[in-house]
Amino acid sequence: MDALEALLNLLLYWRVLVCLAATTLIALALNLALPWFSDPQTLVFAVAGLAPGLLWHAQYEAGTEPYTGPYLSRPAAALTACLAGMLWGAASGTSLAAALTGGLLLALVLLLWYLRQALLVHGVTPRSVIACGSIALATYLITSYLSHAVFKAYLA
């Protein structure tokens, strides 16, 4: 019950709510525009808006300048990439079209992250971005395949 109360309290912060609303609208637009964008992908994409909202709010409460250093240690970044790839892969395993769409979106996000980090003077090194991106893509492919097998067996 305390966890639910803490989650509901997050929605009182406007920065979190703005990011959550934006990703929800983008997810719904993708779901309506692309028939191969699955419902689990829509849900995961929408809820992913909590992360930038929480980071934005934490930065505001700390009263600091925009942080330009690495946010995570390398092992934590690798674990985060692995979990993100697994979550997105599980949501994308409903069909081959959903898996291809999910893979393209993941590759686009990783490319944008790489370009952003390559242009920053201080930040995660491009080599770390490539390593974490490779981990995310590998776990995405494995989890997408496994979840597709589960969906196929469940529906058969």
Side-chain angles (χ1 to χ4, degrees), residues 74-93:
R74 286 186 179 138
L79 181 62
T80 303
C82 181
L83 291 175
M86 287 172 60
L87 180 63
W88 190 242
S92 301

Side-chain angles (χ1 to χ4, degrees), residues 86-120:
M86 287 172 60
L87 180 63
W88 190 242
S92 301
T94 55
S95 69
L96 179 61
L100 292 175
T101 304
L104 287 174
L105 281 174
L106 181 60
L108 178 66
V109 166
L110 292 174
L111 177 66
L112 292 175
W113 183 36
Y114 177 80
L115 292 174
R116 180 182 180 274
Q117 293 303 329
L119 296 175
L120 291 177

Side-chain angles (χ1 to χ4, degrees), residues 2-152:
D2 291 334
L4 180 62
E5 185 178 327
L7 185 62
L8 291 175
N9 283 335
L10 286 176
L11 297 178
L12 296 176
Y13 301 117
W14 70 269
R15 289 169 184 83
V16 175
L17 193 58
V18 164
C19 290
L20 189 61
T23 56
T24 301
L25 289 174
I26 292 169
L28 287 174
L30 284 171
N31 192 323
L32 293 173
L34 304 173
W36 52 86
F37 197 77
S38 70
D39 293 340
Q41 285 176 316
T42 304
L43 179 66
V44 169
F45 195 91
V47 173
L50 284 174
L54 289 173
L55 289 173
W56 187 14
H57 183 71
Q59 185 180 31
Y60 169 76
E61 281 191 343
T64 59
E65 294 293 318
Y67 185 68
T68 57
Y71 287 99
L72 297 170
S73 66
R74 286 186 179 138
L79 181 62
T80 303
C82 181
L83 291 175
M86 287 172 60
L87 180 63
W88 190 242
S92 301
T94 55
S95 69
L96 179 61
L100 292 175
T101 304
L104 287 174
L105 281 174
L106 181 60
L108 178 66
V109 166
L110 292 174
L111 177 66
L112 292 175
W113 183 36
Y114 177 80
L115 292 174
R116 180 182 180 274
Q117 293 303 329
L119 296 175
L120 291 177
V121 177
H122 305 289
V124 180
T125 63
R127 197 170 109 195
S128 296
V129 173
I130 291 172
C132 289
S134 299
I135 290 170
L137 283 172
T139 55
Y140 169 79
L141 290 171
I142 293 167
T143 311
S144 179
Y145 174 75
L146 291 175
S147 66
H148 180 69
V150 168
F151 278 120
K152 190 176 175 183

